Amino acid sequence: MSIFKKLFKKSTDSESSQNKDAGRSKYMPEEKLPLDERFIHNFTTQGGRFLYSLDESEVQANFEDVLVEHDFFETKVLCTDSNLRNRFNSYNLQFSDIHDDCSFFLTTCEYIIADNGAILFSSNQLKEKKPVDFPETMIVLATASQIVESIGEGLRGIKHRSGSNIPTNITTLKNFEEPKVQEKKDLMNYGVPNKRVYLILLEDL
């Protein structure tokens, strides 16, 4: 079942689920949510902006909504992916390979992680840069088939897909809350970047 259908079930489905839960013993282990629901919950709880798309037209509409929200039209954009440049070439954006003075970073990712809401990147997207070096705002394109349960599963997927040419700079990002003054003074957060992340997820299952 698609994420869309899961997120917008009829109330009768919800009532049926509640009745089922009421019949479960309190000593039985809790049932885990499906991967997609767990990812959405964990990602948005940490401040991530989730934009679901049934098809390419909705991907384009969601992308445009982000541009409108931040007035990102006719602006310089960090994007090293030629496929993404072609995909969004109708918005009069100035695509650049150089990090300086870019309004946002447009990228894909390797996997998205259900158990902690993180996004897994590698040198395929980041080259050899660290997340802290990228613009504050990131727009990430992913598909439902990229959702995996754990970081370990994502790493195995990268290894299996890449063979002997395993990418370097494998990094997870999971700090999506707006930076706060008190957090900037917290030594526990030193060196951990907070990014405003929009994830545009395309249903492909």
Side-chain angles (χ1 to χ4, degrees), residues 22-182:
R24 287 174 54 84
S25 167
K26 64 180 180 179
Y27 300 106
M28 293 179 67
E30 291 186 8
E31 292 183 340
K32 282 188 175 182
L33 289 172
L35 290 183
D36 48 14
E37 293 184 34
R38 282 161 54 196
F39 170 76
I40 294 168
H41 171 76
N42 290 326
F43 177 72
T44 56
T45 297
Q46 296 177 126
R49 283 83 165 168
F50 177 77
L51 301 168
Y52 176 77
S53 306
L54 276 172
D55 52 34
E56 182 61 26
S57 66
E58 291 192 1
V59 169
Q60 297 289 333
N62 282 324
F63 182 74
E64 184 172 1
D65 285 345
V66 179
L67 299 186
V68 170
E69 179 181 347
H70 297 284
D71 193 21
F72 279 157
F73 292 99
E74 299 184 11
T75 191
K76 188 176 178 183
V77 180
L78 175 62
C79 180
T80 60
D81 188 320
S82 59
N83 291 325
L84 289 182
R85 292 187 180 199
N86 292 330
R87 191 173 185 176
F88 300 106
N89 64 0
S90 62
Y91 295 95
N92 201 23
L93 299 170
Q94 304 170 39
F95 294 112
S96 175
D97 294 324
I98 302 173
H99 297 64
D100 297 339
D101 301 322
C102 288
S103 297
F104 66 93
F105 178 35
L106 176 62
T107 184
T108 58
C109 63
E110 295 290 346
Y111 290 99
I112 50 182
I113 313 301
D115 66 6
N116 64 358
I119 302 178
L120 183 63
F121 300 98
S122 76
S123 55
N124 289 331
Q125 297 85 34
L126 307 182
K127 305 308 178 185
E128 299 306 321
K129 295 286 185 178
K130 297 178 180 179
V132 71
D133 298 321
F134 288 85
E136 182 180 278
T137 300
M138 302 173 65
I139 302 178
V140 181
L141 277 293
T143 60
S145 60
Q146 288 178 274
I147 303 175
V148 295
E149 183 164 14
S150 65
I151 293 174
E153 185 177 346
L155 294 175
R156 288 191 293 273
I158 292 174
K159 183 177 180 181
H160 176 75
R161 188 176 65 247
S162 305
S164 60
N165 299 314
I166 299 176
T168 58
N169 196 22
I170 296 174
T171 303
T172 57
L173 188 65
K174 60 179 181 179
N175 296 298
F176 312 122
E177 295 286 356
E178 293 287 346
K180 299 176 183 177
V181 174
Q182 62 267 29

